[in-house]
Amino acid sequence: MFLWWLPQAVCLVSLTLGYEDDIEVNYGDSYYNEITEGEPLEPTAIPTQAPCKVTEMTKWDKLFSMLENSQMRENMLLQYSDDIIKVELGSLRGEMLRFVAQYGGACGVAVETAGRRMSMQMEARLKESLEHLRQDRSIAAGKSAGNSGNSNQETLLQQLLHAARTQASRLVKLENICLSNPGPITPPEAKGEDLQQDVVPAEMLVALVTELAKTRAVLELAFKSAQQRHLPAGCETALLFPMRSPRIFSSVTPDLPLSLSSFTVCLWAKPVSVSNRTVLFSYGTKRNPYEIQLLLSGTRALFTVGGEAHLVEGRGVVRGGVWTHLCGAWSSEQGIASLWADGHRVAFTPGVAEGHMLTDGGSLQLGQEKNDGRVSGGSGGSGRQMPGFDGGFDAKLAFAGKMTGVNMWDHVLTEEEISQLALQDGEGCEQRGNVVGWGLTEIVPHGGAQFIN
């Protein structure tokens, strides 16, 4: 039995020894990509990029870029003004509430009520103004830059200015009442209670009035700026004379014959600058080129009938860059001629072309006058003939600026009628003359003159 197990044991041991492998385990640190000191570094190629190619922008790309920038700036300004006014209204309301908390009583209740009403009115006006500004901006986006209408903005600014003045006057009255009764006032609800109320110092009311005065000054400045940009007396269009030129004028075809023994001429003018002699309104015939003339000379306004010998002059009535309303009236019966500026009579002269009668068949121009058929070239009177015109025009007499509301009647207007026509915030352009009516009578611009909104 032992002999049978012995060979099996020897085979098992030999098989075990045959499958043993000599495995050595190295627990040291392994390094990869190891660089020796003497081994040179291989240069790595750095990819080079092609230089940026800047494509030149076309004029349309530049135009669209400018429009986008202007749109962003407009949005930023609207947001900025909205934030500023809200902060100011909030601070004003906070000061009013602190005033009421310190003072109390009937005066405090009145001031608080006035403050709340003022805040509500100002916020409502602000929201209405911003809404109209957004509407005007959306409307103006579809029109050209010269035809954008901003009449609503002027009306809103007037309303804001009126609201600010009203609230300032109310606070001044409340200040006078509170300062005239400096003692503490016990409200009816607190009768029988020992409540000690502090009298608010006058400096707080003075500070409130000062802030309102600053706000009013800012609104007045904005209103004046808007007033300069917009047309007066409700006029919707105006004539633009961009520069002095012998070719720039406007011809007028009157609705009635100019065989007149009396008349009134009125217009609005905003000159860029005024020379020694600038023609606004001129009517002349071949027999008498100076039948009617309404002129500017520096700060003076001149009105002539039947020739330059009959002159009516108003001094210090015209300023450059400001809308001025001028009227000239004349009657042949007694030769009475009068000149009006901004609704006030500045000159009155009798015996001007007494018994004279205007003749029909002449030429009526705005911004120029007909002369002897030549353009003046100097003091000597020599010049060159202007082709394409029956008579010549002188560049030194040309009007540069804006003109609107040109009307002419075949009678003398009353003082009240002229005063109504001269109101900048009125509706003078709705009162049209029967000889020349603004917006109805044919007026043809020549050269560079053009109608604008």
Side-chain angles (χ1 to χ4, degrees):
M1 188 67 174
F2 174 75
L3 295 176
W4 184 79
W5 282 102
L6 182 59
Q8 293 184 357
V10 173
C11 290
L12 181 61
V13 172
S14 62
L15 288 174
T16 303
L17 293 176
Y19 282 99
E20 290 181 358
D21 294 331
D22 189 7
I23 300 175
E24 294 182 1
V25 181
N26 186 6
Y27 294 98
D29 296 331
S30 59
Y31 298 95
Y32 300 95
N33 298 328
E34 187 173 354
I35 300 174
T36 61
E37 295 182 357
E39 185 177 354
L41 296 176
E42 295 182 1
T44 304
I46 300 176
T48 59
Q49 298 180 353
C52 298
K53 295 182 180 180
V54 180
T55 59
E56 185 177 357
M57 297 178 65
T58 64
K59 62 179 181 179
W60 294 109
D61 294 334
K62 294 179 181 179
L63 177 61
F64 289 139
S65 179
M66 293 171 60
L67 289 175
E68 290 177 357
N69 293 337
S70 63
Q71 188 76 12
M72 293 175 60
R73 284 195 295 269
E74 187 175 1
N75 292 335
M76 293 172 63
L77 287 175
L78 284 174
Q79 184 65 30
Y80 181 67
S81 61
D82 190 6
D83 294 341
I84 287 179
I85 296 178
K86 286 183 179 179
V87 170
E88 292 296 331
L89 288 175
S91 62
L92 181 61
R93 181 175 176 81
E95 291 180 2
M96 294 295 295
L97 292 176
R98 287 195 297 271
F99 167 74
V100 173
Q102 292 180 5
Y103 193 82
C107 183
V109 172
V111 173
E112 182 181 7
T113 304
R116 287 179 179 176
R117 290 179 179 176
M118 181 184 65
S119 178
M120 293 174 62
Q121 291 181 3
M122 293 297 289
E123 287 179 0
R125 296 290 185 185
L126 175 61
K127 291 179 181 178
E128 185 179 359
S129 301
L130 292 176
E131 183 64 27
H132 281 277
L133 282 173
R134 293 188 180 98
Q135 292 178 1
D136 292 342
R137 184 183 62 184
S138 61
I139 294 174
K143 298 181 180 179
S144 60
N147 296 330
S148 58
N150 296 321
S151 59
N152 291 334
Q153 298 180 13
E154 181 180 357
T155 304
L156 293 174
L157 287 173
Q158 291 177 356
Q159 294 175 355
L160 284 170
L161 181 60
H162 178 71
R165 288 176 175 173
T166 303
Q167 300 304 331
S169 62
R170 288 179 180 176
L171 287 178
V172 170
K173 292 179 181 179
L174 288 172
E175 177 190 6
N176 295 332
I177 294 174
C178 292
L179 294 179
S180 62
N181 299 285
I185 303 174
T186 304
E189 298 82 6
K191 286 184 179 181
E193 300 180 3
D194 296 332
L195 298 177
Q196 298 295 331
Q197 299 179 351
D198 298 330
V199 179
V200 176
E203 288 78 4
M204 180 169 289
L205 289 175
V206 173
L208 290 175
V209 175
T210 303
E211 290 298 326
L212 286 175
K214 291 180 180 179
T215 305
R216 181 177 64 184
V218 172
L219 290 174
E220 287 178 348
L221 183 62
F223 172 69
K224 289 180 180 179
S225 177
Q227 195 175 28
Q228 292 300 321
R229 291 195 298 269
H230 303 315
L231 301 180
C235 297
E236 297 180 356
T237 58
L239 273 170
L240 173 64
F241 300 85
M243 65 186 76
R244 290 197 182 102
S245 171
R247 297 181 181 275
I248 297 178
F249 70 101
S250 294
S251 60
V252 183
T253 303
D255 297 331
L256 296 178
L258 289 179
S259 301
L260 305 175
S261 59
S262 62
F263 66 86
T264 303
V265 175
C266 293
L267 57 84
W268 285 93
K270 182 181 179 181
V272 175
S273 62
V274 181
S275 62
N276 292 332
R277 185 182 175 90
T278 301
V279 178
L280 297 176
F281 185 99
S282 175
Y283 174 71
T285 62
K286 293 181 178 180
R287 185 175 181 180
N288 185 1
Y290 310 108
E291 283 284 6
I292 304 174
Q293 283 193 321
L294 186 58
L295 314 170
L296 300 179
S297 178
T299 60
R300 300 177 300 162
L302 309 177
F303 176 53
T304 65
V305 180
E308 296 184 350
H310 307 289
L311 179 65
V312 182
E313 178 182 354
R315 298 178 178 271
V317 297
V318 180
R319 290 184 298 165
V322 178
W323 283 107
T324 303
H325 187 260
L326 297 173
C327 283
W330 170 79
S331 176
S332 174
E333 184 176 353
Q334 297 179 354
I336 297 176
S338 57
L339 181 62
W340 302 73
D342 292 330
H344 303 284
R345 190 172 68 180
V346 296
F348 175 82
T349 304
V352 176
E354 185 177 355
H356 179 66
M357 175 71 71
L358 298 180
T359 58
D360 192 24
S363 298
L364 179 58
Q365 292 95 22
L366 302 177
Q368 266 286 7
E369 70 173 7
K370 289 288 182 68
N371 53 28
D372 59 355
R374 295 183 179 273
V375 177
S376 176
S379 59
S382 62
R384 55 185 175 84
Q385 183 75 30
M386 285 296 297
F389 300 106
D390 296 332
F393 293 97
D394 191 348
K396 296 180 180 179
L397 305 179
F399 172 73
K402 298 177 183 178
M403 191 183 301
T404 187
V406 181
N407 290 283
M408 184 176 183
W409 293 263
D410 60 355
H411 58 276
V412 177
L413 298 183
T414 64
E415 180 178 356
E416 182 180 357
E417 290 174 332
I418 295 178
S419 299
Q420 291 297 321
L421 292 173
L423 295 176
Q424 284 208 5
D425 55 350
E427 299 295 334
C429 274
E430 299 296 329
Q431 307 298 323
R432 297 178 173 89
N434 60 342
V435 179
V436 176
W438 182 254
L440 299 178
T441 303
E442 180 183 4
I443 300 177
V444 181
H446 298 274
Q450 59 179 327
F451 281 101
I452 61 173
N453 291 333

